Amino acid sequence: MTQRTRWTLCAAAALFSVPFILPSATPVWMQRASAQPAPQQRLKAAAPTRSAKTPAAPQATTKELPPRVPFTAAEDAVSVIPGVPEARFWADSETDFKNALPSQPGPWLILTSGGEDGAFGAGFLNGLTAAGKRPDYVMVTGVSTGALMAPFAFAGPRYDESLRKAYTEVTAADIFEAGSSTGESFVNSWPLKDLIAKWITPGLLDDIAAAYKSGRRLFVVSYDIDAQRASVWNLGAIAAHGGDEARKLFLSVLLASASIPGAFPPVLVDVEANGKRFAEMHSDGGIGGQFFVAPASLITITSDYRLPATQLDIVVNTGLEHDFQVVERFAPSILGQAVGAAIKVDTRMMLALTYAAAKRSGVGFNVATVPASFNVQSKGPFDAKYMGALFQVGYEQGRSASPFATELPPYPAAPVPPSSHIEKTGANQ
């Protein structure tokens, strides 16, 4: 879904949960909101009609969850994945980041957040392949929807068709189910969990493991809500470890990175510190930043660190233009418009820092963004026509003569005010 729609979903899901939690007391404002066409349409989009996956009636009770094992900040700071200590590192750790880098310099591919707008990135990568311009990336990083497409991108062009299907043949029913039996979220993400398990085949895991052993790296980011720190997962190392537990962790990390906090349930990841076992709570990687290149301290304007890459190819899976609309006085609309704007600001700021770091490092800076001319409107989360159109735009851009821009995306121009000049026509002459 678009960035604005992702957060509209959060608020809309919250509104939908009211009658589930308080079935005998639907507030007046909820009844009034349901009578307004535009907000009602958004609510329906947030909770699409389902067939086999929609329960016959909303659940009025909340399932009691088992208590979590308590742990301290000091324990969490040194926690590791049992049996796979190289599985992850903190996104703010300079030492761990440097130790986890590819064995040789080369081009890096950076995939941003963006929900269903990942259709642009999927089309773009397919277009690069078609034009024969797609390099062998020594490192691929992904956040949120970028994390979901990163395994396909990392494994190479042979998975382009899988990537296309993942972003053009899914519906909202494949991603979430309205309502939740726990107090952790407003919708249930079990459909997305099942979909990820279907996408990540044993063959794909084998190819990722082989690439890791050759020195290449695949990193995706989730956010540790307990510690308020981003966690970078070395998916190649996890795949190379092999076994059922490693595959389960691989899938859990992808689900966590794409789980909108509050809307989707967080993912609990089992860790160990000084012989103590406990579970961390992870959610959408976009909380910590819309994409990942290196620890923030290494790409600030005051740093002298040089990125060990030959070029940075950044695919921005969301529009950066102003999305004007007269916003209804309705919580989902207000939240969606405000957070959507904040994400665009965050993305632009991160791009600016990365651009400066690339120039300092003598590294090529390439960025692909959704063209300002793209104006197809999404009619709801994971609208097939919208995603198909965006995929095609990405594909055409990817196979064009100049798929990337080498400078920062320009800021949108201010809207042109209407002319106050009144032309004399007809009877006015």
Side-chain angles (χ1 to χ4, degrees), residues 110-131:
I110 314 299
L111 303 170
T112 78
S113 64
E116 71 180 8
D117 284 359
F120 171 76
F124 185 83
L125 290 173
N126 272 261
L128 283 181
T129 299

Side-chain angles (χ1 to χ4, degrees), residues 83-382:
V84 197
E86 70 278 20
R88 68 96 178 268
F89 58 89
W90 295 109
D92 54 16
S93 173
E94 296 182 9
T95 300
D96 290 343
F97 169 75
K98 293 174 183 178
N99 290 337
L101 286 170
S103 58
Q104 298 292 330
W108 294 4
L109 175 64
I110 314 299
L111 303 170
T112 78
S113 64
E116 71 180 8
D117 284 359
F120 171 76
F124 185 83
L125 290 173
N126 272 261
L128 283 181
T129 299
K133 298 178 180 179
R134 184 165 162 184
D136 293 325
Y137 293 106
V138 299
M139 189 164 93
V140 176
T141 74
V143 173
S144 197
T145 199
L148 296 181
M149 68 174 61
F152 300 118
F154 181 74
R158 63 181 294 192
Y159 288 95
D160 277 3
E161 180 61 11
S162 297
L163 184 59
R164 183 195 67 78
K165 290 181 178 180
Y167 281 90
T168 61
E169 297 184 5
V170 298
T171 66
D174 297 310
I175 306 300
F176 65 91
E177 178 181 71
S180 174
S181 61
T182 73
E184 293 181 306
S185 63
F186 298 120
V187 302
N188 198 314
S189 61
W190 70 262
L192 177 59
K193 182 179 179 180
D194 287 355
L195 190 61
I196 292 172
K198 178 181 177 181
W199 285 344
I200 308 302
T201 63
L204 177 55
L205 284 174
D206 289 344
D207 288 343
I208 291 172
Y212 169 77
K213 293 174 182 177
S214 73
R216 297 173 59 216
R217 295 294 180 262
L218 170 60
F219 297 152
V220 303
V221 181
S222 67
Y223 197 79
D224 184 332
I225 299 177
D226 299 308
Q228 293 189 335
R229 297 172 76 186
S231 188
V232 180
W233 297 90
N234 190 337
L235 291 188
I238 297 173
H241 185 270
D244 291 341
E245 289 303 312
R247 182 175 187 273
K248 179 181 177 181
L249 176 62
F250 194 107
L251 301 181
S252 293
V253 167
L254 293 181
L255 179 62
S257 186
S259 293
I260 307 167
F264 291 3
V267 175
L268 296 180
V269 179
D270 294 327
V271 298
E272 182 179 71
N274 302 321
K276 179 180 178 179
R277 298 282 184 107
F278 54 93
E280 297 172 344
M281 181 178 286
H282 286 258
S283 195
D284 197 311
I287 302 172
Q290 305 311 308
F291 58 90
F292 178 78
V293 175
S297 60
L298 296 180
I299 61 172
T300 60
I301 58 174
T302 57
S303 173
D304 60 359
Y305 179 71
R306 294 180 176 272
L307 297 168
T310 57
Q311 69 186 57
L312 299 179
D313 288 358
I314 306 174
V315 179
V316 180
N317 292 304
T318 186
L320 295 177
E321 301 297 309
H322 295 315
D323 184 15
F324 176 84
Q325 66 168 317
V326 178
V327 180
E328 298 95 357
R329 298 170 69 173
F330 188 62
S333 301
I334 296 168
L335 178 64
Q337 186 78 343
V339 176
I343 288 174
K344 293 174 184 178
V345 172
D346 184 39
T347 301
R348 285 188 177 276
M349 291 179 65
M350 292 186 67
L351 286 172
L353 287 172
T354 304
Y355 178 82
K359 294 303 181 183
R360 181 177 66 239
S361 306
V363 172
F365 176 88
N366 301 311
V367 60
T369 59
V370 179
S373 59
F374 181 74
N375 58 6
V376 177
Q377 297 296 311
S378 174
K379 296 182 179 179
F382 301 92

Side-chain angles (χ1 to χ4, degrees), residues 372-395:
S373 59
F374 181 74
N375 58 6
V376 177
Q377 297 296 311
S378 174
K379 296 182 179 179
F382 301 92
D383 173 34
K385 290 185 177 179
Y386 172 83
M387 294 177 72
L390 191 52
F391 178 93
Q392 191 61 35
V393 164
Y395 179 82

Side-chain angles (χ1 to χ4, degrees), residues 9 16 43-51 54 171-174 176-178 381:
L9 172 61
F16 257 95
L43 288 175
K44 288 181 178 179
T49 302
R50 304 171 63 90
S51 54
T54 301
T171 66
D174 297 310
F176 65 91
E177 178 181 71

